[in-house]
């Protein structure tokens, strides 16, 4: 991380630590910002929405922004060796200007796309940039997205103070406010749909969000029902709210909703899966997956928590959900339904609101090799070290104990089984690895694990020694 990037992280902590740090804008387990619990759908729709479907005005696009000075890096937590260069992808930054909620705005648009336009799939994942400064939806699905030739676009909808703190000369003209968010998402989304940015015609585009940005997505849904492109087409063809447990309203396009163990342990939605037009919905709960990606996050290196952090590959399973959604909206392939994580609502028996198996992992939900062929148990919300870990990541160092407490509260710990326990279960390392391979193959065949991540998952198994 460059010196200037470290400086802006420190400056931004005062803006983000209380509500937006890490991956959430509210209480952990509440499903993120806003409206995390059952019966809440992210707040009331804005009063200024049109009553009938209405075409948005296309905003003005700048020339590509190449300076002065460095670009704000909103994807610092990609897997090692799996950055954009490894997939021959490019990042392009633009400023977009228009009028929303009766006021002018200038925002930032980042497009990540294949360098070779002929490799573009025609599918786009869009997201609002998280208030903490990260494009988490891209980070959480980057290997899948880039391996598939999809484009990823990131739209700034939060105050630009941290951009200006990094590089005032480059970003001083950014201007927007929260009351403009829905129109900005619609207008900039319609601009992307025009096909001039992604490298070719856009066939389908979905809007994703995780935690705080899942709240942004949920708040956008009433606007989705009325805002249209200049050709009177829908701006977004599907929605993917993640790390969120809210009860979400029905919309006229498919939606896949992905709460994690943090949300399941709180006040999780009871909305049921549906294939009915106007109610197309799936709820996917992956056993073992926590609210944030503790495997690759730069904010968690070194580990600020009292227990070892989980290396569960959040990316591998967030990408399962994205793959199913894109196939649903693009090809009409109806995704499978999934069992939900079982709850006993009793923390006194095992310290969890979830029903746990004999190994301490959740029962039910979408299965993974990490809980079906376990070598560890996964525990949400490990305590933070106090005092703060030495040589902490810049974000933790700047935010101090509060930042460490919050990040660990959003994290998942991985408590490894003792070697004697592993020998009892699998006899030998060879037996363990073989069991993982067998189970992984079955999960791939049933659509719950992408072959793309097979090497990563088997690599994790190879690291288990006993």
């Amino acid at each position: 991380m460059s010196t200037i990037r470290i400086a802006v992280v420190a400056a931004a902590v005062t803006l983000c630590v209380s509500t937006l740090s890490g991956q959430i804008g509210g209480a952990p387990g509440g499903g993120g910002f806003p409206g995390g619990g059952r019966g809440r759908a992210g707040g009331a729709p804005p009063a200024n929405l049109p009553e009938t479907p209405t075409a948005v005005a296309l905003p003005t696009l700048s020339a590509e922004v190449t300076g002065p000075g460095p670009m704000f890096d909103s994807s610092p937590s990609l897997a090692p060796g799996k950055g954009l260069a490894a997939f021959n992808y490019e990042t392009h930054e633009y400023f977009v200007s228009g009028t929303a909620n009766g006021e002018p705005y200038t925002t930032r648009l980042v497009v990540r796309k294949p360098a070779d336009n002929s490799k573009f799939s025609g599918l786009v994942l869009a997201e609002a940039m998280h208030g903490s400064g990260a494009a988490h939806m891209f980070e959480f699905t980057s290997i899948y997205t880039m391996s598939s030739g999809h484009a990823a676009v990131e739209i700034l909808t939060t105050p630009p103070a941290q951009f200006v703190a990094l590089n005032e000369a480059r970003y001083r003209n950014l201007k927007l406010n929260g009351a403009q968010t829905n129109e900005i998402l619609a207008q900039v989304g319609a601009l992307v749909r025009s096909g001039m940015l992604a490298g070719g015609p856009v066939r389908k585009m979905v809007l994703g969000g995780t935690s705080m940005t899942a709240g942004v997505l949920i708040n956008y849904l009433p606007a989705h029902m009325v805002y249209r492109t200049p050709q009177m087409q829908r701006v977004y063809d599907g929605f993917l709210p993640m790390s969120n447990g809210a009860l979400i309203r029905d919309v006229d396009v498919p939606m896949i909703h992905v709460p994690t163990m943090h949300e399941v342990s709180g006040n999780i939605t009871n909305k049921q899966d549906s294939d009915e037009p106007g109610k197309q919905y799936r709820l996917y709960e992956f056993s073992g997956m926590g609210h944030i990606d503790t495997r690759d996050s730069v904010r968690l290196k070194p580990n600020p928590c009292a227990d070892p952090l989980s290396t569960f590959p959040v990316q591998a399973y967030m990408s399962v959900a994205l793959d199913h959604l894109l196939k649903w909206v693009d090809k009409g392939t109806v995704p499978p339904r999934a069992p939900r994580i079982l709850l006993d609502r009793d923390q006194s028996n095992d310290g969890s609101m979830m029903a746990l198996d004999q190994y301490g992992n959740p029962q039910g939900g979408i299965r993974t090799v990490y809980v079906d062929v376990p070598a560890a148990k996964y525990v949400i919300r490990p305590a933070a070290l106090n005092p703060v870990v030495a040589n902490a990541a810049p974000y933790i160092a700047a935010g101090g104990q509060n930042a460490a407490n919050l990040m660990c509260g959003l994290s998942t710990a991985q408590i490894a089984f003792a070697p004697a326990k592993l020998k009892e279960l699998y006899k030998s390392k060879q037996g363990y690895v073989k069991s993982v391979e067998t189970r992984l193959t079955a999960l791939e065949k049933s659509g719950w694990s992408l072959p793309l991540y097979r090497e990563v998952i088997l690599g994790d198994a190879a690291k288990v020694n006993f």
Side-chain angles (χ1 to χ4, degrees), residues 265 344-354 380-381:
S265 294
D344 59 17
R345 300 291 185 192
D346 183 3
Q347 288 184 292
S348 66
N349 59 356
D350 54 21
S352 172
M353 297 288 277
M354 297 176 286
I380 60 174
R381 304 189 186 103

Side-chain angles (χ1 to χ4, degrees), residues 275-294:
D275 296 325
E276 181 182 343
K279 297 183 178 182
Q280 294 169 293
Y281 176 83
R282 291 290 185 275
L283 190 84
Y284 285 172
E285 299 171 356
F286 292 90
S287 295
M289 187 164 74
H291 192 83
I292 61 174
D293 180 8
T294 52

Side-chain angles (χ1 to χ4, degrees), residues 387-402:
V388 173
V389 65
N391 302 313
Y395 180 84
I396 301 292
Q401 194 65 53
N402 285 341

Side-chain angles (χ1 to χ4, degrees), residues 17-138:
V17 71
S18 63
T19 59
L20 300 178
S21 295
Q23 265 276 108
I24 199 165
F33 163 82
R38 180 180 297 136
R40 298 179 63 191
N48 60 347
L49 286 177
E51 295 183 358
T52 58
T54 301
V56 297
L58 283 185
T60 301
L61 182 72
S62 74
E64 183 173 356
V65 180
T66 57
M71 184 176 78
F72 188 97
D73 179 12
S74 52
S75 59
S77 297
L78 302 182
K82 300 293 184 179
L84 276 74
F87 296 91
N88 196 25
Y89 261 59
E90 298 174 337
T91 301
H92 301 276
E93 181 183 46
Y94 305 92
F95 295 149
V96 182
S97 300
T99 300
N101 198 37
E103 299 180 51
Y105 71 84
T106 297
T107 190
R108 181 178 97 135
L109 171 67
V110 175
V111 179
R112 298 177 175 93
K113 57 177 283 294
D116 180 350
N117 288 338
S118 69
K119 303 296 185 183
F120 173 48
S121 69
L123 304 180
V124 178
L125 169 65
E127 66 178 305
M129 192 200 77
H130 195 279
S132 61
H136 285 307
M137 289 301 300
F138 175 68

Side-chain angles (χ1 to χ4, degrees), residues 197-217:
L197 298 171
V202 174
R203 195 164 67 248
K204 299 290 181 181
M205 181 167 67
V206 300
L207 181 66
T210 180
S211 191
M212 176 243 174
T213 55
V216 173
L217 181 160

Side-chain angles (χ1 to χ4, degrees), residues 283-365:
L283 190 84
Y284 285 172
E285 299 171 356
F286 292 90
S287 295
M289 187 164 74
H291 192 83
I292 61 174
D293 180 8
T294 52
R295 185 184 182 112
D296 293 318
S297 175
V298 296
R299 292 185 175 184
L300 296 169
K301 300 183 186 305
N303 179 11
C305 310
D307 294 314
L309 287 174
S310 170
T311 58
F312 184 100
V314 166
Q315 173 158 156
Y317 299 104
M318 292 288 194
S319 295
V320 167
L322 177 57
D323 184 59
H324 279 307
L325 180 63
L326 289 175
K327 288 176 179 174
W328 203 0
V329 303
D330 187 39
K331 302 179 183 301
T333 304
V334 177
R337 300 188 183 210
R340 303 188 179 189
I341 291 176
L342 301 181
L343 302 175
D344 59 17
R345 300 291 185 192
D346 183 3
Q347 288 184 292
S348 66
N349 59 356
D350 54 21
S352 172
M353 297 288 277
M354 297 176 286
L356 304 182
D357 63 20
Q358 66 268 39
Y359 307 115
N361 291 316
Q363 299 183 48

